[in-house]
Amino acid sequence: MQPHSKPSKVAALVPAWQSSAFIQATLDSLSAQTYPHLEVIVSVDECNDSTYEICMAHAQKDARFRVIRQSQRLGYVGNCNFLLNQAEADYVLFAFHDDILNPDYITLLAEVLDARPEVVMSYSDVHLTNTNGTEEHWVFTELEGIRDPVQRGVLMMSGKNKWWVPNRGLFRLGQARQINGLKTHHAGEFSADWPWMFHMSLLGEFARVPKTLCYKYYKPGSLSRSWQFSKHQIYEVYAAIMREIWISGLTTEQKLTLASPLARWLYHNNPDRLGEGK
């Protein structure tokens, strides 16, 4: 941070749904954050468990929390976008309702954004515990030191890395709003955060904090565990990435560099053209 500059404000955005059995640990980890300039906004989507009551009880003990109850089902994408529109901060993060954050998570990620204006997203490594108890360590290093937005875009849309790791990171709200939020596509919400992260990578550099500061716990019924990962779904998410290329602020030459090989892939892998349907 530059001397005498105003401290950066951070908003943690919690899209919550049917999470009464486990969200308390997430709320506790946010209350334990050491970063002093923090607001937590929780949007509880329409559900039939006690998620809202748990969040409200927590907010009564921590004035930094604001809880909003949705009267109609927004879905994952709609809930995330609602939260983005609610935030008034310099930096924001999605604090997912099955993630537990180290107390220094926001402090360490904010230090990176404060010190490096060229960085739009800072993030840490992630430790995952699956529903069957097995564990994985997620690391995303591919974008480190990459200044060229086209090269970052190529790497982000390759699908050969753990692109979802920085989705838990801290990002600049101003740049993020240029994308107009997450978007559904013709396969619904399947990997809707992938085109979002792809577009973010076009706006600036990503910076990894090489520490394990985020702990994810897959739960029965987790959204991503319900996906089929069919050829149709994969095709539609790549088509959505193509959409993000054309609405981005890249030059025409940069757009063509990214879009040309993707267009060929989309043509040769169109499930409808190949008779594979949905």
PDB file of all heavy atoms in Angstrom, residues 62-78:
ATOM      1  N   ASP A  62     -21.961 -10.244  15.220  1.00  0.00           N
ATOM      2  CA  ASP A  62     -20.868  -9.597  14.482  1.00  0.00           C
ATOM      3  C   ASP A  62     -21.471  -8.543  13.558  1.00  0.00           C
ATOM      4  O   ASP A  62     -22.083  -8.871  12.540  1.00  0.00           O
ATOM      5  CB  ASP A  62     -20.084 -10.647  13.673  1.00  0.00           C
ATOM      6  CG  ASP A  62     -18.785 -10.089  13.093  1.00  0.00           C
ATOM      7  OD1 ASP A  62     -18.712  -8.859  12.872  1.00  0.00           O
ATOM      8  OD2 ASP A  62     -17.853 -10.882  12.853  1.00  0.00           O
ATOM      9  N   ALA A  63     -21.289  -7.284  13.903  1.00  0.00           N
ATOM     10  CA  ALA A  63     -21.929  -6.175  13.182  1.00  0.00           C
ATOM     11  C   ALA A  63     -21.400  -5.997  11.772  1.00  0.00           C
ATOM     12  O   ALA A  63     -21.995  -5.250  10.972  1.00  0.00           O
ATOM     13  CB  ALA A  63     -21.748  -4.879  13.970  1.00  0.00           C
ATOM     14  N   ARG A  64     -20.317  -6.666  11.427  1.00  0.00           N
ATOM     15  CA  ARG A  64     -19.790  -6.561  10.065  1.00  0.00           C
ATOM     16  C   ARG A  64     -20.610  -7.358   9.062  1.00  0.00           C
ATOM     17  O   ARG A  64     -20.432  -7.205   7.847  1.00  0.00           O
ATOM     18  CB  ARG A  64     -18.334  -7.042  10.031  1.00  0.00           C
ATOM     19  CG  ARG A  64     -17.376  -6.203  10.851  1.00  0.00           C
ATOM     20  CD  ARG A  64     -16.012  -6.866  10.921  1.00  0.00           C
ATOM     21  NE  ARG A  64     -16.083  -8.166  11.595  1.00  0.00           N
ATOM     22  CZ  ARG A  64     -15.040  -9.001  11.691  1.00  0.00           C
ATOM     23  NH1 ARG A  64     -13.875  -8.674  11.161  1.00  0.00           N
ATOM     24  NH2 ARG A  64     -15.176 -10.159  12.322  1.00  0.00           N
ATOM     25  N   PHE A  65     -21.518  -8.197   9.563  1.00  0.00           N
ATOM     26  CA  PHE A  65     -22.314  -9.070   8.699  1.00  0.00           C
ATOM     27  C   PHE A  65     -23.638  -8.407   8.342  1.00  0.00           C
ATOM     28  O   PHE A  65     -24.311  -7.819   9.203  1.00  0.00           O
ATOM     29  CB  PHE A  65     -22.588 -10.402   9.395  1.00  0.00           C
ATOM     30  CG  PHE A  65     -21.443 -11.374   9.334  1.00  0.00           C
ATOM     31  CD1 PHE A  65     -20.258 -11.111  10.014  1.00  0.00           C
ATOM     32  CD2 PHE A  65     -21.535 -12.538   8.598  1.00  0.00           C
ATOM     33  CE1 PHE A  65     -19.192 -11.998   9.970  1.00  0.00           C
ATOM     34  CE2 PHE A  65     -20.487 -13.436   8.541  1.00  0.00           C
ATOM     35  CZ  PHE A  65     -19.314 -13.169   9.228  1.00  0.00           C
ATOM     36  N   ARG A  66     -24.002  -8.553   7.079  1.00  0.00           N
ATOM     37  CA  ARG A  66     -25.325  -8.139   6.609  1.00  0.00           C
ATOM     38  C   ARG A  66     -25.942  -9.322   5.890  1.00  0.00           C
ATOM     39  O   ARG A  66     -25.330  -9.886   4.971  1.00  0.00           O
ATOM     40  CB  ARG A  66     -25.198  -6.934   5.671  1.00  0.00           C
ATOM     41  CG  ARG A  66     -26.507  -6.485   5.058  1.00  0.00           C
ATOM     42  CD  ARG A  66     -26.423  -5.024   4.601  1.00  0.00           C
ATOM     43  NE  ARG A  66     -25.404  -4.797   3.599  1.00  0.00           N
ATOM     44  CZ  ARG A  66     -25.657  -4.686   2.274  1.00  0.00           C
ATOM     45  NH1 ARG A  66     -26.900  -4.830   1.830  1.00  0.00           N
ATOM     46  NH2 ARG A  66     -24.685  -4.447   1.429  1.00  0.00           N
ATOM     47  N   VAL A  67     -27.140  -9.730   6.273  1.00  0.00           N
ATOM     48  CA  VAL A  67     -27.784 -10.921   5.729  1.00  0.00           C
ATOM     49  C   VAL A  67     -29.045 -10.515   4.974  1.00  0.00           C
ATOM     50  O   VAL A  67     -29.879  -9.759   5.490  1.00  0.00           O
ATOM     51  CB  VAL A  67     -28.135 -11.931   6.841  1.00  0.00           C
ATOM     52  CG1 VAL A  67     -28.779 -13.177   6.245  1.00  0.00           C
ATOM     53  CG2 VAL A  67     -26.892 -12.293   7.645  1.00  0.00           C
ATOM     54  N   ILE A  68     -29.171 -11.010   3.757  1.00  0.00           N
ATOM     55  CA  ILE A  68     -30.327 -10.729   2.906  1.00  0.00           C
ATOM     56  C   ILE A  68     -30.985 -12.057   2.547  1.00  0.00           C
ATOM     57  O   ILE A  68     -30.304 -13.012   2.171  1.00  0.00           O
ATOM     58  CB  ILE A  68     -29.895  -9.980   1.629  1.00  0.00           C
ATOM     59  CG1 ILE A  68     -29.163  -8.684   2.002  1.00  0.00           C
ATOM     60  CG2 ILE A  68     -31.107  -9.685   0.735  1.00  0.00           C
ATOM     61  CD1 ILE A  68     -28.400  -8.072   0.862  1.00  0.00           C
ATOM     62  N   ARG A  69     -32.300 -12.096   2.662  1.00  0.00           N
ATOM     63  CA  ARG A  69     -33.050 -13.319   2.350  1.00  0.00           C
ATOM     64  C   ARG A  69     -33.796 -13.118   1.037  1.00  0.00           C
ATOM     65  O   ARG A  69     -34.567 -12.163   0.890  1.00  0.00           O
ATOM     66  CB  ARG A  69     -34.033 -13.621   3.463  1.00  0.00           C
ATOM     67  CG  ARG A  69     -34.752 -14.962   3.328  1.00  0.00           C
ATOM     68  CD  ARG A  69     -35.656 -15.176   4.522  1.00  0.00           C
ATOM     69  NE  ARG A  69     -36.016 -16.575   4.698  1.00  0.00           N
ATOM     70  CZ  ARG A  69     -36.673 -17.036   5.762  1.00  0.00           C
ATOM     71  NH1 ARG A  69     -37.026 -16.197   6.733  1.00  0.00           N
ATOM     72  NH2 ARG A  69     -36.970 -18.315   5.856  1.00  0.00           N
ATOM     73  N   GLN A  70     -33.568 -14.012   0.088  1.00  0.00           N
ATOM     74  CA  GLN A  70     -34.236 -13.922  -1.210  1.00  0.00           C
ATOM     75  C   GLN A  70     -35.612 -14.589  -1.130  1.00  0.00           C
ATOM     76  O   GLN A  70     -35.745 -15.689  -0.591  1.00  0.00           O
ATOM     77  CB  GLN A  70     -33.387 -14.583  -2.302  1.00  0.00           C
ATOM     78  CG  GLN A  70     -31.991 -13.991  -2.450  1.00  0.00           C
ATOM     79  CD  GLN A  70     -32.015 -12.524  -2.835  1.00  0.00           C
ATOM     80  OE1 GLN A  70     -32.974 -12.035  -3.427  1.00  0.00           O
ATOM     81  NE2 GLN A  70     -30.949 -11.812  -2.510  1.00  0.00           N
ATOM     82  N   SER A  71     -36.606 -13.922  -1.676  1.00  0.00           N
ATOM     83  CA  SER A  71     -37.969 -14.467  -1.655  1.00  0.00           C
ATOM     84  C   SER A  71     -38.252 -15.354  -2.858  1.00  0.00           C
ATOM     85  O   SER A  71     -39.230 -16.102  -2.872  1.00  0.00           O
ATOM     86  CB  SER A  71     -38.989 -13.326  -1.621  1.00  0.00           C
ATOM     87  OG  SER A  71     -38.841 -12.485  -2.755  1.00  0.00           O
ATOM     88  N   GLN A  72     -37.397 -15.269  -3.868  1.00  0.00           N
ATOM     89  CA  GLN A  72     -37.510 -16.123  -5.051  1.00  0.00           C
ATOM     90  C   GLN A  72     -36.153 -16.737  -5.340  1.00  0.00           C
ATOM     91  O   GLN A  72     -35.112 -16.117  -5.095  1.00  0.00           O
ATOM     92  CB  GLN A  72     -37.994 -15.326  -6.268  1.00  0.00           C
ATOM     93  CG  GLN A  72     -39.406 -14.780  -6.123  1.00  0.00           C
ATOM     94  CD  GLN A  72     -39.854 -14.028  -7.362  1.00  0.00           C
ATOM     95  OE1 GLN A  72     -39.043 -13.488  -8.115  1.00  0.00           O
ATOM     96  NE2 GLN A  72     -41.151 -14.004  -7.599  1.00  0.00           N
ATOM     97  N   ARG A  73     -36.171 -17.944  -5.876  1.00  0.00           N
ATOM     98  CA  ARG A  73     -34.916 -18.660  -6.147  1.00  0.00           C
ATOM     99  C   ARG A  73     -34.133 -17.957  -7.246  1.00  0.00           C
ATOM    100  O   ARG A  73     -34.617 -17.779  -8.365  1.00  0.00           O
ATOM    101  CB  ARG A  73     -35.252 -20.096  -6.574  1.00  0.00           C
ATOM    102  CG  ARG A  73     -34.018 -20.962  -6.834  1.00  0.00           C
ATOM    103  CD  ARG A  73     -33.523 -21.601  -5.564  1.00  0.00           C
ATOM    104  NE  ARG A  73     -32.593 -22.682  -5.866  1.00  0.00           N
ATOM    105  CZ  ARG A  73     -31.266 -22.546  -5.897  1.00  0.00           C
ATOM    106  NH1 ARG A  73     -30.720 -21.382  -5.648  1.00  0.00           N
ATOM    107  NH2 ARG A  73     -30.500 -23.588  -6.163  1.00  0.00           N
ATOM    108  N   LEU A  74     -32.912 -17.549  -6.919  1.00  0.00           N
ATOM    109  CA  LEU A  74     -32.036 -16.894  -7.888  1.00  0.00           C
ATOM    110  C   LEU A  74     -31.105 -17.879  -8.585  1.00  0.00           C
ATOM    111  O   LEU A  74     -30.679 -17.640  -9.699  1.00  0.00           O
ATOM    112  CB  LEU A  74     -31.194 -15.819  -7.195  1.00  0.00           C
ATOM    113  CG  LEU A  74     -31.935 -14.658  -6.535  1.00  0.00           C
ATOM    114  CD1 LEU A  74     -30.936 -13.689  -5.904  1.00  0.00           C
ATOM    115  CD2 LEU A  74     -32.815 -13.941  -7.536  1.00  0.00           C
ATOM    116  N   GLY A  75     -30.770 -18.971  -7.912  1.00  0.00           N
ATOM    117  CA  GLY A  75     -29.761 -19.878  -8.432  1.00  0.00           C
ATOM    118  C   GLY A  75     -28.371 -19.353  -8.116  1.00  0.00           C
ATOM    119  O   GLY A  75     -28.184 -18.217  -7.654  1.00  0.00           O
ATOM    120  N   TYR A  76     -27.369 -20.181  -8.369  1.00  0.00           N
ATOM    121  CA  TYR A  76     -25.983 -19.818  -8.052  1.00  0.00           C
ATOM    122  C   TYR A  76     -25.557 -18.549  -8.778  1.00  0.00           C
ATOM    123  O   TYR A  76     -25.045 -17.600  -8.167  1.00  0.00           O
ATOM    124  CB  TYR A  76     -25.060 -20.981  -8.412  1.00  0.00           C
ATOM    125  CG  TYR A  76     -23.598 -20.630  -8.414  1.00  0.00           C
ATOM    126  CD1 TYR A  76     -22.939 -20.369  -7.221  1.00  0.00           C
ATOM    127  CD2 TYR A  76     -22.880 -20.560  -9.602  1.00  0.00           C
ATOM    128  CE1 TYR A  76     -21.588 -20.040  -7.215  1.00  0.00           C
ATOM    129  CE2 TYR A  76     -21.534 -20.229  -9.601  1.00  0.00           C
ATOM    130  CZ  TYR A  76     -20.889 -19.969  -8.404  1.00  0.00           C
ATOM    131  OH  TYR A  76     -19.558 -19.631  -8.410  1.00  0.00           O
ATOM    132  N   VAL A  77     -25.772 -18.498 -10.089  1.00  0.00           N
ATOM    133  CA  VAL A  77     -25.346 -17.343 -10.883  1.00  0.00           C
ATOM    134  C   VAL A  77     -26.082 -16.081 -10.443  1.00  0.00           C
ATOM    135  O   VAL A  77     -25.476 -15.030 -10.216  1.00  0.00           O
ATOM    136  CB  VAL A  77     -25.560 -17.608 -12.383  1.00  0.00           C
ATOM    137  CG1 VAL A  77     -25.399 -16.318 -13.201  1.00  0.00           C
ATOM    138  CG2 VAL A  77     -24.571 -18.661 -12.878  1.00  0.00           C
ATOM    139  N   GLY A  78     -27.389 -16.174 -10.296  1.00  0.00           N
ATOM    140  CA  GLY A  78     -28.163 -15.008  -9.898  1.00  0.00           C
ATOM    141  C   GLY A  78     -27.789 -14.513  -8.515  1.00  0.00           C
ATOM    142  O   GLY A  78     -27.739 -13.300  -8.270  1.00  0.00           O
TER     143      GLY A  78
END
